[in-house]
């Protein structure tokens, strides 16, 4: 009914998957969601439109988008008892661990979203998580800041409501800042999907056992947390702050990144697929300049980032290995300008990636794919006889 993929019972999992959602060309630095270039979507669409596009395959018309948002608003309540689970965490708990746990815990309050067998069940599970996830994201930040939890306002747009739930101060009016909302919306679009990356593959393989959508997303959140993956945006800021504290000595960190005896890597550089500029990094770099300019923020960290990028792009070690800035290199600078704490950066990545994870899980289920079962090349011992303990 909405560009759905027909069931393909004969599909055999060959270890890699076929997908119609996102196209990447790592050599040319191309990224498209359902055939639309990321540059156009970031510039002309909003996050909810892009979420609909990724999940259902087509850009929504006005009525479809309105209905999608209305359906989401109907499900935006998170059970009060979920607060007891949130309260059980120490304030010092990393928000990614809290978010992964809360996303999994949602199942207890939405049991009908576990075994989806029809497209109707699937749609309801998708609407529920699209509605409740922003609340959980906001709750993780407010928990960390010791702020009372906010339930949002259905009269606001999807991203505006997320921002309000995250930032509304008790006893103060929520004041919308257009620059901030547009920057957040663009960042979420740029993170929305990225083909079969580590966390998306985790969502697909977890979902392939017919574990529910929410627990598959919880697994994806855990995979995203790693500093080699989505956790890199937090690691980039920590690296840039360390360089700033070191008097801006970028060469020292470049040398560390090139030293094979030093585990340090230049965070925000390199990619498993892109051997050219990550197209998202180019857009985010421009947006960082725009947002900081519009907000009148002079952030020395941005200058250090640009200096580091310049040095790296001219350094033979990076040039020979085709190491370019990726999506995580500049995103943290914008999150910081929006007042988002560093530990929340990867949570924001998860918020952006939510529709992509949902779309990939839905595609896998609608294609009737068998349970994921990667094979291996065995490199262990050949068969050998047992040795009794007293002879070892
Ligand atoms: C994301 O897959 C996706 O699509 C992910 C993502 C998404 O949207 O889902 O795009 C999001 O995860 C982006 C990546 C964020 N991670 C970081 O920024 C962490 C820093 N980058 C790296 O650790 C690394 O580049 C990876 C993990 C991203 C890729 O690792 P690989 O596959 O090992 O990199 P490679 O094979 O291209 O490495 C080639 C060489 C190696 O050196 P040699 O053995 O040839 O001497 O480059 C070196 C690597 O050691 N290298 C780096 C480096 N990245 C690779 N050296 C220093 N600093 C780096 N950042």
């Amino acid at each position: 009914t909405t560009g759905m993929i027909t069931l393909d019972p004969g599909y055999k999992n060959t270890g890699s998957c076929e997908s119609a959602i996102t196209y990447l060309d790592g050599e040319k630095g191309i990224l498209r969601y359902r055939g639309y270039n990321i540059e156009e979507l970031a510039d002309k669409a909003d996050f909810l439109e892009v979420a609909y596009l990724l999940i259902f395959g087509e850009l929504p018309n006005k009525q479809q988008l309105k209905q999608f948002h209305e359906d989401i608003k109907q499900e935006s309540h998170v059970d009060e008892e979920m607060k007891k689970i949130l309260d059980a965490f120490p304030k010092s708990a990393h928000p990614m661990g809290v978010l992964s746990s809360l996303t999994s815990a949602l199942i207890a309050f939405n049991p009908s979203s576990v075994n989806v067998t029809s497209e109707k069940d699937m749609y309801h599970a998708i609407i529920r998580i699209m509605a409740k996830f922003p609340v959980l994201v906001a709750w993780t930040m407010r928990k960390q800041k010791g702020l009372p939890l906010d339930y949002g306002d259905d009269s606001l747009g999807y991203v505006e409501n997320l921002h309000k739930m995250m930032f509304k101060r008790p006893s103060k009016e929520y004041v919308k800042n257009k620059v901030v909302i547009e920057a957040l919306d663009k960042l979420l679009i740029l993170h929305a999907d990225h083909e079969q990356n580590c966390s998306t593959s985790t969502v697909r393989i977890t979902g392939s056992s017919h574990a529910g959508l929410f627990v598959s997303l919880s697994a994806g959140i855990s995979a995203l947390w790693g500093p080699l993956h989505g956790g890199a945006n937090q690691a980039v800021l920590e690296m840039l702050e360390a360089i700033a504290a070191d008097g801006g000595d970028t060469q020292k960190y470049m040398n560390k990144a090139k030293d094979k005896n030093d585990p340090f890597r230049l965070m925000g550089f390199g990619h498993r697929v892109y051997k050219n500029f990550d197209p998202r990094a180019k857009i985010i770099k421009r947006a960082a300049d725009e947002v900081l300019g519009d907000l009148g923020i002079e952030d020395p960290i941005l200058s250090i980032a640009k200096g580091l990028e310049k040095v790296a792009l001219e350094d033979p070690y990076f040039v020979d290995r085709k190491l370019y800035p990726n999506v995580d290199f500049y995103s943290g600078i914008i999150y910081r300008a929006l007042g988002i704490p560093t530990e929340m950066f990867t949570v924001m990545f998860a918020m952006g990636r939510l529709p992509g994870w949902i779309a990939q899980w839905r595609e896998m289920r609608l294609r009737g794919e068998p349970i994921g079962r990667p094979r291996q090349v065995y490199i262990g011992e050949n068969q050998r006889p047992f040795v009794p303990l007293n002879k070892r």
Side-chain angles (χ1 to χ4, degrees), residues 13 335 381:
N13 184 353
Y335 288 139
E381 298 287 344

Side-chain angles (χ1 to χ4, degrees), residues 194 197 227-230 232 257 260 265-272 275 280 317-318 321 323 326-328 349 353:
H194 211 239
N197 57 84
L228 295 187
H229 191 12
K260 287 302 169 193
R265 282 192 159 189
L266 207 58
M267 302 315 277
F269 263 78
H271 199 274
R272 293 297 280 138
K275 300 307 170 190
R280 301 166 296 177
Y317 173 96
F318 282 79
R321 292 168 174 81
L323 302 177
N326 58 47
V327 67
D328 294 307
F349 192 143
R353 189 54 50 90

Side-chain angles (χ1 to χ4, degrees), residues 160-222:
E160 193 182 341
N161 194 26
L162 165 69
H163 187 265
K164 177 204 178 272
M165 289 189 283
M166 289 174 73
F167 286 98
K168 184 182 175 306
R169 309 297 289 182
S171 73
K172 285 208 175 21
E173 240 348 80
Y174 171 69
V175 179
K176 172 179 171 177
N177 177 320
K178 191 168 173 294
V179 170
V180 168
I181 301 302
E182 283 177 0
L184 191 50
D185 198 284
K186 183 174 283 192
L187 275 174
L188 295 175
I189 289 172
L190 292 167
H191 286 81
D193 193 51
H194 211 239
E195 199 220 68
Q196 303 311 315
N197 57 84
C198 176
S199 54
T200 300
S201 304
T202 303
V203 170
R204 280 185 86 119
I205 201 160
T206 306
S208 71
S209 72
H210 288 197
L213 172 58
F214 297 1
V215 289
S216 303
L217 293 172
S218 174
I221 294 165
S222 300

Side-chain angles (χ1 to χ4, degrees), residues 103-384:
T103 303
S104 201
L106 274 177
I107 277 295
F109 303 91
N110 300 275
S112 63
S113 291
V114 180
N115 299 314
V116 290
T117 49
S118 70
E119 282 189 46
K120 186 163 165 280
D121 292 350
M122 206 172 272
Y123 183 77
H124 283 150
I126 289 168
I127 288 297
R128 280 193 193 111
I129 197 66
M130 280 296 294
K132 301 175 194 302
F133 200 78
V135 181
L136 301 185
V137 165
W139 282 12
T140 53
M141 183 163 117
R142 296 181 81 91
K143 161 94 184 173
Q144 209 198 31
K145 290 189 156 192
L147 288 170
L149 303 179
D150 186 288
Y151 271 108
D153 173 349
D154 279 349
S155 68
L156 301 176
Y158 187 80
V159 173
E160 193 182 341
N161 194 26
L162 165 69
H163 187 265
K164 177 204 178 272
M165 289 189 283
M166 289 174 73
F167 286 98
K168 184 182 175 306
R169 309 297 289 182
S171 73
K172 285 208 175 21
E173 240 348 80
Y174 171 69
V175 179
K176 172 179 171 177
N177 177 320
K178 191 168 173 294
V179 170
V180 168
I181 301 302
E182 283 177 0
L184 191 50
D185 198 284
K186 183 174 283 192
L187 275 174
L188 295 175
I189 289 172
L190 292 167
H191 286 81
D193 193 51
H194 211 239
E195 199 220 68
Q196 303 311 315
N197 57 84
C198 176
S199 54
T200 300
S201 304
T202 303
V203 170
R204 280 185 86 119
I205 201 160
T206 306
S208 71
S209 72
H210 288 197
L213 172 58
F214 297 1
V215 289
S216 303
L217 293 172
S218 174
I221 294 165
S222 300
L224 185 72
W225 192 357
L228 295 187
H229 191 12
N233 57 17
Q234 176 178 342
V236 167
L237 238 295
E238 289 162 353
M239 173 186 73
L240 294 173
E241 284 170 341
I243 294 172
D246 235 343
D249 185 357
T250 48
Q251 198 51 55
K252 173 180 167 187
Y253 287 80
M254 285 292 293
N255 297 337
K256 279 172 65 66
K258 298 188 285 186
D259 178 356
K260 287 302 169 193
N261 298 316
D262 189 328
F264 174 78
R265 282 192 159 189
L266 207 58
M267 302 315 277
F269 263 78
H271 199 274
R272 293 297 280 138
V273 177
Y274 288 125
K275 300 307 170 190
N276 192 329
F277 253 91
D278 180 334
R280 301 166 296 177
K282 281 184 188 170
I283 299 169
I284 295 177
K285 181 181 177 182
R286 258 197 323 273
D289 277 325
E290 288 160 11
V291 171
L292 270 65
D294 291 345
L295 295 176
I297 297 173
E298 280 290 319
D299 187 348
I301 293 289
L302 179 58
S303 321
I304 289 180
K306 288 181 175 176
L308 188 58
E309 177 189 16
K310 187 172 178 318
V311 171
L313 293 181
E314 291 162 3
D315 186 296
Y317 173 96
F318 282 79
V319 174
D320 296 348
R321 292 168 174 81
K322 298 184 179 179
L323 302 177
Y324 293 91
N326 58 47
V327 67
D328 294 307
F329 189 62
Y330 284 104
S331 56
I333 289 165
I334 300 180
Y335 288 139
R336 191 167 121 116
L338 301 185
I340 296 172
T342 311
E343 294 75 23
M344 281 292 295
F345 288 4
T346 313
V347 168
M348 297 315 292
F349 192 143
M351 180 67 240
R353 189 54 50 90
L354 177 69
W357 284 335
I358 292 171
Q360 300 269 351
W361 168 83
R362 181 171 178 275
E363 178 181 70
M364 174 273 303
R365 288 301 304 273
L366 287 182
R367 288 178 65 90
E369 288 182 10
I371 185 168
R373 179 57 173 89
R375 293 313 308 273
Q376 62 172 26
V377 173
Y378 178 69
I379 55 170
E381 298 287 344
N382 284 329
Q383 186 184 354
R384 48 184 172 165

Side-chain angles (χ1 to χ4, degrees), residues 58-69:
E58 300 294 339
L59 281 170
N61 62 34
K62 276 199 184 117
Q63 178 46 37
Q64 288 167 329
L65 185 59
K66 184 172 181 296
Q67 189 58 57
F68 187 49
H69 198 188

